[in-house]
Amino acid sequence: MDINTIRKETRGCENKIFLNSAGSSLVPDPVFDRVISYLTEEAEVGGYALAHSTLEETEEFYSEAARLLNCNPENIAYMTSATDAYAKAISSIEFKEGDVILTTDDDYVSNQLTFISLKKRIGIKIIRAVNLPGGDLDLVAFEQQVKTYQPKLVALTHIPTSSGLVQDAEKVGEICHKYKIWYLLDACQSVGQLVVDVKKIKCDFLTATGRKFLRGPRGTGFLYVSDAALGAGLAPLLIDMLGAKWTSKEDYKIEPTAKRFEFWESSIAGKLGLKEAMKYVNTIGMAVVEQYNASLMVAFRTKLTAIKGLHLQDRGTHVSNILTFTMDHHTTEEISEHLKQYGVYFSVSSKASALIDFTRKSIDSAIRLSPHYFNTPEELEKVVAILNF
Ligand SMILES: Cc1ncc(COP(=O)(O)O)c(C=O)c1O
């Protein structure tokens, strides 16, 4: 991995230490350039004419996403965000009163709100998996829960928004496959950070966003839909003229590919920007990025642990590029002010987005640092020194 070129092509990484890729990362120049050039041309000829003449390039969006996830372009739908993808995926499952969604304590806040909404409206049951003392899922208990409750859906967040935990998505996939349960994976924080292979994970749906570790533009994302889900006719509850053809007064024919989950209107500039972002990381190679990230984080975590009174809040045997911590002698606000003074970009995770996890940890908030492959070990050493205050 040529870190010097990568940094040269990341205009935002100068004069600051940018550690917020779990929030909204810095786009590489090819992404920036394509979005700007597209919008410039759109201002000249109008949205429809340009969309028509760039159809072939737009299709590359699907092949780059397919390359990233190890699937076919037909399994990919373009979305405006991970939440958009999630809502459409979940709406394709016909829940009835008493149906069970099996999920975890660490699943994303908006996903939990969706489950609660389905519970209030339809009367589904939410069952949450058991964690081992170290924070990992208890997979033996998980399989037992699958057998006992026969859930209609298993919903797992691969990497939670406010802790470094990486859930064992493959093992969960094996269990879902064995018992033929629909499996929805929220890979919003893992795509672009780790190798995510849907053939190995065996999920039916996977949701991702553009702006985080993929380094794409805001307002973009995608949904993966398995052949099994497409073959079973799963389609979003609310469709439009891209997802289906109006065939008679009372009927329609659904689009055969995952595009049935898309809406007709979308940002083509955003789509081409995200295509460039995926092409960028596909060219570097996800395995290379994952390896670089892992070594960056091992050293960072080790050095931070040595600071007296600093507590890493990440649990689990496999942790990621999301690092959360608190300090005994400084509040989150004090640490935030201190980091800002030194030009460190980061975010704060609050209990409102990690209700179960932070209640269990007895914390109200934590500082979240999320380095990525354009960051250097030297930058992280500086941050360690800054935090030693
Ligand atoms: C784990 C996880 N899932 C889903 C989302 C939602 O993504 P989006 O804002 O693109 O809908 C986030 C955003 O932080 C997230 O961290």
Side-chain angles (χ1 to χ4, degrees):
M1 206 184 82
D2 181 359
I3 182 84
N4 291 329
T5 305
I6 287 166
R7 284 182 70 79
K8 255 189 231 135
E9 289 173 347
T10 305
R11 64 188 64 205
C13 73
E14 292 299 322
N15 310 324
K16 65 174 83 66
I17 303 180
F18 189 90
L19 304 181
N20 198 13
S21 287
S24 186
S25 192
L26 298 173
V27 297
D29 283 349
V31 174
F32 177 83
D33 293 342
R34 190 63 192 107
V35 173
I36 297 297
S37 67
Y38 191 88
L39 290 176
T40 307
E41 223 181 317
E42 205 174 58
E44 289 295 330
V45 300
Y48 286 4
L50 188 59
H52 190 71
S53 64
T54 43
L55 269 181
E56 218 170 283
E57 187 192 346
T58 312
E59 283 305 298
E60 287 173 29
F61 170 84
Y62 301 92
S63 43
E64 289 299 340
R67 200 170 141 206
L68 188 71
L69 298 183
N70 190 24
C71 63
N72 293 315
E74 291 74 22
N75 299 112
I76 302 294
Y78 176 51
M79 296 284 139
T80 61
S81 69
T83 306
D84 179 25
Y86 206 88
K88 284 182 177 149
I90 215 159
S91 82
S92 74
I93 295 169
E94 282 183 41
F95 290 105
K96 292 190 295 296
E97 191 180 350
D99 281 346
V100 169
I101 292 181
L102 176 58
T103 187
T104 79
D105 289 346
D106 297 290
D107 267 55
Y108 186 60
V109 48
S110 303
N111 308 348
Q112 304 272 9
L113 295 173
T114 297
F115 309 146
I116 298 167
S117 170
L118 285 170
K119 181 178 176 172
K120 284 178 188 246
R121 185 169 285 199
I122 301 175
I124 63 138
K125 290 195 184 114
I126 307 165
I127 304 288
R128 294 197 176 84
V130 180
N131 285 343
L132 293 168
D136 293 330
L137 274 184
D138 182 339
L139 289 159
V140 175
F142 190 86
E143 181 161 1
Q144 195 52 50
Q145 284 176 306
V146 167
K147 283 202 266 189
T148 308
Y149 297 108
Q150 299 182 10
K152 190 120 181 190
L153 176 74
V154 163
L156 179 73
T157 294
H158 203 178
I159 299 180
T161 202
S162 38
S163 90
L165 175 73
V166 182
Q167 300 278 30
D168 197 338
E170 275 186 39
K171 284 273 160 52
V172 168
E174 269 171 34
I175 296 170
C176 291
H177 196 68
K178 183 168 161 191
Y179 295 94
K180 297 189 172 54
I181 314 283
W182 295 123
Y183 175 23
L184 165 56
L185 183 71
D186 174 342
C188 186
Q189 296 287 6
S190 54
V191 168
Q193 185 190 152
L194 309 174
V195 175
V196 175
D197 181 331
V198 290
K199 291 230 163 68
K200 286 192 180 148
I201 294 174
K202 298 190 178 80
C203 52
D204 294 293
F205 297 98
L206 177 148
T207 55
T209 207
R211 72 184 182 282
K212 298 179 186 287
F213 287 94
L214 271 179
R215 308 182 62 199
R218 291 203 65 177
T220 66
F222 63 79
L223 172 68
Y224 157 84
V225 189
S226 70
D227 288 338
L230 290 174
L234 296 195
L237 175 63
L238 305 171
I239 41 174
D240 88 351
M241 62 187 184
L242 194 148
K245 262 199 188 71
W246 197 11
T247 52
S248 70
K249 216 169 162 187
E250 305 295 340
D251 209 1
Y252 57 78
K253 190 167 186 290
I254 206 83
E255 152 74 30
T257 73
K259 281 186 185 155
R260 69 178 68 156
F261 285 83
E262 292 186 8
F263 282 153
W264 189 86
E265 174 55 2
S266 66
S267 161
I268 313 288
K271 192 175 195 174
L272 295 180
L274 182 51
K275 181 262 290 177
E276 286 299 332
M278 293 189 287
K279 194 170 171 183
Y280 194 81
V281 78
N282 279 335
T283 306
I284 297 169
M286 256 332 297
V288 176
V289 168
E290 179 176 334
Q291 201 181 12
Y292 179 87
N293 277 342
S295 64
L296 206 59
M297 293 310 286
V298 167
F300 195 30
R301 284 199 160 91
T302 309
K303 286 176 187 151
L304 285 176
T305 314
I307 296 177
K308 204 162 168 274
L310 187 150
H311 302 286
L312 294 184
Q313 295 292 347
D314 310 313
R315 299 162 79 235
T317 45
H318 185 189
V319 283
S320 68
N321 275 46
I322 294 184
L323 182 153
T324 51
F325 70 91
T326 51
M327 290 176 103
D328 285 339
H329 46 296
H330 294 297
T331 63
T332 302
E333 292 71 27
E334 285 166 354
I335 308 165
S336 294
E337 280 313 307
H338 185 67
L339 286 170
K340 278 182 201 161
Q341 271 176 26
Y342 286 92
V344 180
Y345 283 58
F346 62 96
S347 60
V348 172
S349 291
S350 69
K351 200 181 199 168
S353 57
L355 191 69
I356 303 174
D357 185 37
F358 278 18
T359 303
R360 192 176 286 142
K361 288 172 179 166
S362 302
I363 55 173
D364 288 326
S365 60
I367 301 285
R368 183 180 73 174
L369 305 177
S370 48
H372 205 9
Y373 65 93
F374 54 79
N375 291 117
T376 63
E378 294 75 32
E379 283 184 306
L380 299 189
E381 267 164 35
K382 270 190 210 157
V383 174
V384 173
I386 291 166
L387 285 172
N388 215 341
F389 73 120

